[in-house]
Amino acid sequence: RCVICRADVADVVLVPILEALQKLPTAPAPGAVPTGADGAAAGGGADSAAAGMPSAPPAQGLALLLTLLELTGDRGFCEAASRTTLADGSRVLGNSRAVQNVAVSSLLIALLLKVAHWNFATCRHAFFNRAVSGILANLAANGVERLHWYTAGRMIEVTTLLARNALKPLAGPPEPTELHRAGMVREFLRSLTRLLSGCLRAPLVAKNCTLVYALQRAYPSQLASLEDDPEIGPPLLHVRAVVDWFQAQCPPDDSGRGEESSVQLARLEAASGRLPAEIQEMVAGGGRFAYRERLGSTAFFAPEVWREARRLIPEHVCWSQPTGARAA
């Protein structure tokens, strides 16, 4: 087995991938149907294409997500992404507002939330959603440090939105499209709640007090409503136990941001070493995720990515069979 190792993998390898993914919501997808000013498809019909949604996201987007899925399966990579800081991450995120002194891992999470939202709004592609969910689950298992304010806020906002959708009762017999979307929501919500819980486990919680403070100031009621769920509930129970403990030890000052937030962060960091062991034992376990082909997977994913890869490979590259291989 051969590997390529770089000490600067986070900024030299990961940042260009994120910059490419950032352009994904504006990239045309194969099979997209032109829509009118009101978003309705020109041709009409019941299937997803006729509803104005592309049949699949761009192949290069899937390829980049699978690359990230493989990279985030390594703990050393995740640690390097948390250690590497950019002075301004707005270029990576495509934001007009500056996001200063941000860890690359925070940029990765924020951008994954952005492209996942785009997928829900346009493609509703199950494999794309599963790839993003797998990356978040890998980050939850390997650990994320130094969460930026912007990313912590986005994590809570998206989790709340997903929880609200998961709690929404279906009116009458559900349509197949509704069941499809509900399954995607639960899969993504499950990984995102694991990530919230993972960021709050010791010793990482001491370096993610921005998330603790954000949850202290506005804990979503929808999360409490899902605590009895057998899949989503365990990490949410851990999150609430951590927040409740910090609330008792270091209640926040409601006077606002600025110096007050810095003082509160210092108090949270100082108290984090006293977090009781019984709270840490509530952390739900979760394995790492990687792409593995199975019967029928080529029809689902590989042809699109292979065509894109062949388009980008220089013409002088020749393919040869290993010795002893038989022609297909």
Side-chain angles (χ1 to χ4, degrees):
R1 182 182 180 184
C2 299
V3 297
I4 299 175
C5 180
R6 293 188 61 121
D8 53 357
V9 64
D11 51 348
V12 174
V13 176
L14 181 54
V15 171
I17 293 177
L18 297 183
E19 290 175 341
L21 272 178
Q22 188 271 130
K23 301 173 184 176
L24 188 60
T26 60
V33 176
T35 59
D38 59 352
D47 58 9
S48 62
M53 295 191 300
S55 59
Q60 62 268 31
L62 286 168
L64 290 173
L65 287 179
L66 290 185
T67 302
L68 290 174
L69 184 67
E70 184 67 22
L71 290 173
T72 54
D74 180 74
R75 183 179 296 274
F77 174 85
C78 295
E79 291 174 350
S82 291
R83 289 194 304 264
T84 305
T85 302
L86 296 187
D88 185 5
S90 57
R91 173 175 55 88
V92 177
L93 293 176
N95 289 5
S96 57
R97 183 179 177 183
V99 182
Q100 298 177 336
N101 299 320
V102 54
V104 175
S105 56
S106 286
L107 293 175
L108 170 59
I109 294 171
L111 196 57
L112 289 174
L113 298 179
K114 180 178 180 179
V115 297
H117 183 271
W118 168 79
N119 181 50
F120 271 105
T122 56
C123 308
R124 296 186 184 178
H125 195 268
F127 187 78
F128 189 98
N129 185 71
R130 183 163 298 171
V132 176
S133 300
I135 297 168
L136 293 178
N138 282 346
L139 292 171
N142 289 322
V144 174
E145 302 176 10
R146 302 167 61 207
L147 272 179
H148 192 273
W149 282 107
Y150 175 81
T151 301
R154 288 295 296 145
M155 288 171 66
I156 297 173
E157 289 172 8
V158 175
T159 304
T160 303
L161 178 62
L162 291 170
R164 189 180 298 124
N165 276 271
L167 291 167
K168 187 184 302 182
L170 297 175
E175 296 290 333
T177 54
E178 293 177 330
L179 292 175
H180 173 77
R181 187 177 187 277
M184 288 177 56
V185 166
R186 285 190 60 85
E187 183 173 44
F188 192 57
L189 180 58
R190 184 167 59 244
S191 291
L192 193 49
T193 54
R194 286 182 184 177
L195 181 58
L196 287 172
S197 175
C199 290
L200 298 180
R201 68 174 184 258
L204 299 178
V205 62
K207 300 180 180 180
N208 290 322
C209 287
T210 51
L211 180 60
V212 177
Y213 189 28
L215 287 167
Q216 274 189 318
R217 295 185 63 82
Y219 193 87
S221 60
Q222 293 84 358
L223 303 190
S225 302
L226 285 170
E227 290 177 358
D228 292 332
D229 188 282
E231 291 183 330
I232 302 171
L236 289 179
L237 286 170
H238 171 248
V239 170
R240 186 164 64 87
V242 172
V243 174
D244 287 349
W245 184 86
F246 276 107
Q247 191 76 10
Q249 300 292 318
C250 313
D253 185 350
D254 294 330
S255 55
R257 298 178 180 174
E259 294 182 1
E260 293 79 7
S261 64
S262 300
V263 171
Q264 178 65 4
L265 282 178
R267 295 176 63 206
L268 294 172
E269 291 170 3
S272 62
R274 306 194 306 269
L275 194 64
E278 55 266 26
I279 292 181
Q280 296 309 311
E281 292 172 359
M282 298 174 63
V283 178
R288 294 175 179 83
F289 290 75
Y291 176 68
R292 294 290 184 271
E293 289 200 2
R294 60 185 180 185
L295 185 63
S297 62
T298 53
F300 187 49
F301 161 74
E304 298 171 4
V305 176
W306 181 245
R307 284 194 296 270
E308 186 68 20
R310 290 292 299 268
R311 185 179 66 82
L312 298 174
I313 293 172
E315 294 182 358
H316 65 269
V317 174
C318 299
W319 299 95
S320 60
Q321 290 181 310
T323 304
R326 290 188 293 178

